[in-house]
Amino acid sequence: MNTREVGEIRRHIRRDRSNMPAIYGCYVNENKEIISEFRLSTALMSENEGEKYFGLLKRSLSGTLGKNLIDISFQTSQVAGSPEHKLLMDLRQTGLKDEALRMQFYQKAVETISLHANYLILLGCDSYDVPFKNKDGEGDSERSDETFTFLLCAICPVKQTKPNLHYIPESKEFHDGGIVNTVSAPELGFLFPAFDGRSTNIYNALYYTHSPKDSHEAFVDAVFRTKIPKPAAEQKKHFEAILGNSLKDECSLDVVQSVHDQLCQRIELHKQSRLPDVLTVGKNDVEDVLSSCGVSAAHIAKFSLDYDEAFGVDAQLHPKNIIDHNRFEIKTPDVSIKVAPDKADLIQTRIIGGVKYILINAEEDIEVNGVSIHIQDGVPAEV
């Protein structure tokens, strides 16, 4: 799915637009016990309550594609007859009305989710009459060639608030309000099937994880029985390690800066183009940058092997997952230097008198602990 398709489904998930007759759910405690299981009619919900439930479901389609929203691909054999795909299809076909199927899904989730807190599993089954659009993108809301029927799941931590004094209008006094269990934004969730090319794609799903550091792989394996890319934070660590370990002594400031600059440029150009498809880069893109920096063929070949081993053969990665495009950072055990990516050329490395130095161009205003300082002319450098 691309950003436009995700946005189109998100806009539909509102109480006044949705065709979701009910929202189903269960409440689970830290001991993996289902405390309650319920069905809530969307027609009977109050306006405020409805907005909150639909808001939670909608949040499972938020974040960045490739980072928070991850494409799930089923193998053909799975679609043909695997138990995990069949369960999702059956839940969708029955509109979640079959209690036994719901409990089967809940048990799968409960066995594999680890949030270290009570949590709420919400499920909804919706249908969206996809408005017709011609080749020029012009729409006709009165005409629909397809109805997209989908499951939406949101798994939300439930946190206890601390007892606080609150105001009682009747007595005009403050009293202890006691402990309240509050539902937080989803930690994970999914959409099934995918909405690809503005059409139903039962070979794919869209998986959501709130934290780029944790993909909840056990849950993904139980529900989808497929592997997903490493979490974004882990991808970044692996990429940095591969670059340093494979290039060895050729991994200079200029090389790392060139890789960072090239990826930042791709991110910016993609943003300006407003293309809805997810931007990805592969090892060949990085190899081209390394080659242009004069890195030897042997070290580039080592990078290629290490890349395939870490991410999969010819894997495509989101550039925002492997670099911090908002800053450029240099660290030593004692010093950390952060600069804007477009000002990274202000930093150089030099060996002066046999000692390694990091040099920073300081022509502009300088502050130390918030105090403006001046570098005096005519003071010789001590080496």
Side-chain angles (χ1 to χ4, degrees):
M1 292 178 65
N2 61 38
T3 54
R4 290 177 186 170
E5 291 160 347
V6 173
E8 187 170 350
I9 299 304
R10 276 179 55 85
R11 288 190 293 273
H12 170 75
I13 303 168
R14 286 177 33 171
R15 189 183 178 192
D16 57 343
R17 296 178 181 175
S18 169
N19 297 306
M20 196 180 297
I23 293 176
Y24 298 85
C26 72
Y27 182 35
V28 185
N29 66 17
E30 291 186 66
N31 298 321
K32 297 184 177 292
E33 299 169 335
I34 296 178
I35 301 172
S36 66
E37 197 260 345
F38 54 85
R39 175 192 183 278
L40 300 172
S41 169
T42 56
L44 299 178
M45 289 179 181
S46 68
E47 183 177 349
N48 288 339
E49 194 174 80
E51 285 182 0
K52 288 179 172 58
Y53 274 108
F54 278 95
L56 290 170
L57 288 171
K58 183 186 292 188
R59 287 288 291 272
S60 63
L61 292 176
S62 61
T64 304
L65 283 166
K67 192 169 189 176
N68 307 98
L69 294 170
I70 302 169
D71 183 59
I72 296 286
S73 296
F74 293 100
Q75 297 179 4
T76 303
S77 58
Q78 287 181 287
V79 177
S82 68
E84 59 276 359
H85 194 274
K86 184 178 185 303
L87 176 58
L88 293 172
M89 290 293 288
D90 288 347
L91 286 167
R92 172 175 173 261
Q93 185 175 357
T94 60
L96 296 171
K97 296 176 183 178
D98 189 309
E99 182 180 0
L101 291 174
R102 293 199 310 273
M103 290 305 299
Q104 186 180 344
F105 173 81
Y106 292 152
Q107 289 298 336
K108 271 192 174 188
V110 169
E111 289 170 5
T112 54
I113 292 173
S114 180
L115 294 181
H116 308 293
N118 294 3
Y119 59 89
L120 179 66
I121 300 176
L122 294 177
L123 284 173
C125 186
D126 206 343
S127 59
Y128 171 51
D129 292 327
V130 184
F132 171 79
K133 283 189 178 181
N134 60 25
K135 292 181 179 180
D136 297 326
E138 296 177 354
D140 183 355
S141 59
E142 301 299 320
R143 176 181 168 189
S144 175
D145 292 336
E146 179 180 353
T147 297
F148 174 56
T149 302
F150 60 94
L151 299 176
L152 197 57
C153 174
I155 298 171
C156 312
V158 176
K159 300 176 181 179
Q160 287 189 342
T161 62
K162 294 180 179 180
N164 290 309
L165 293 175
H166 71 282
Y167 185 67
I168 308 296
E170 292 78 12
S171 63
K172 296 183 179 181
E173 296 173 341
F174 287 86
H175 293 282
D176 183 7
I179 295 175
V180 177
N181 292 312
T182 304
V183 180
S184 302
E187 188 68 29
L188 61 155
F190 65 86
L191 168 80
F192 175 83
F195 185 58
D196 286 326
R198 303 187 70 244
S199 185
T200 303
N201 178 8
I202 63 172
Y203 287 81
N204 287 73
L206 190 65
Y207 175 67
Y208 168 78
T209 177
H210 171 71
S211 172
K213 296 180 180 180
D214 190 357
S215 296
H216 302 277
E217 294 180 5
F219 173 82
V220 173
D221 183 63
V223 175
F224 305 110
R225 199 67 64 186
T226 186
K227 291 188 178 297
I228 60 172
K230 299 177 187 296
E234 194 173 332
Q235 287 183 33
K236 186 173 183 292
K237 286 184 179 180
H238 277 283
F239 182 78
E240 292 167 347
I242 291 168
L243 205 58
N245 294 336
S246 61
L247 303 190
K248 300 295 184 181
D249 58 330
E250 289 189 295
C251 191
S252 65
L253 172 63
D254 290 341
V255 168
V256 175
Q257 186 175 328
S258 294
V259 172
H260 190 273
D261 287 348
Q262 287 292 324
L263 295 180
C264 283
Q265 287 177 24
R266 287 178 180 242
I267 292 170
E268 183 59 28
L269 288 172
H270 185 265
K271 180 181 178 181
Q272 292 176 4
S273 71
R274 297 186 178 181
L275 292 172
D277 295 325
V278 179
L279 173 66
T280 61
V281 296
K283 68 177 182 183
N284 292 338
D285 300 304
V286 181
E287 288 172 359
D288 289 343
V289 179
L290 299 180
S291 179
S292 68
C293 293
V295 176
S296 66
H299 281 154
I300 292 176
K302 181 66 166 62
F303 170 82
S304 177
L305 290 173
D306 291 350
Y307 181 99
D308 287 346
E309 184 178 348
F311 301 114
V313 177
D314 296 326
Q316 296 289 310
L317 305 176
H318 195 299
K320 287 185 180 180
N321 289 358
I322 56 178
I323 65 164
D324 188 338
H325 68 291
N326 290 317
R327 70 179 182 183
F328 189 81
E329 183 176 18
I330 295 177
K331 282 185 178 181
T332 73
D334 303 309
V335 178
S336 177
I337 304 169
K338 299 176 183 178
V339 297
D342 61 342
K343 298 293 184 180
D345 57 347
L346 295 176
I347 300 178
Q348 302 178 26
T349 55
R350 290 286 186 273
I351 297 178
I352 304 174
V355 181
K356 298 176 182 178
Y357 287 91
I358 298 170
L359 304 182
I360 304 173
N361 186 314
E363 291 297 328
E364 299 182 8
D365 295 340
I366 306 169
E367 288 188 0
V368 176
N369 290 338
V371 180
S372 296
I373 66 164
H374 300 275
I375 299 176
Q376 297 178 3
D377 292 333
V379 178
E382 297 181 3
V383 180

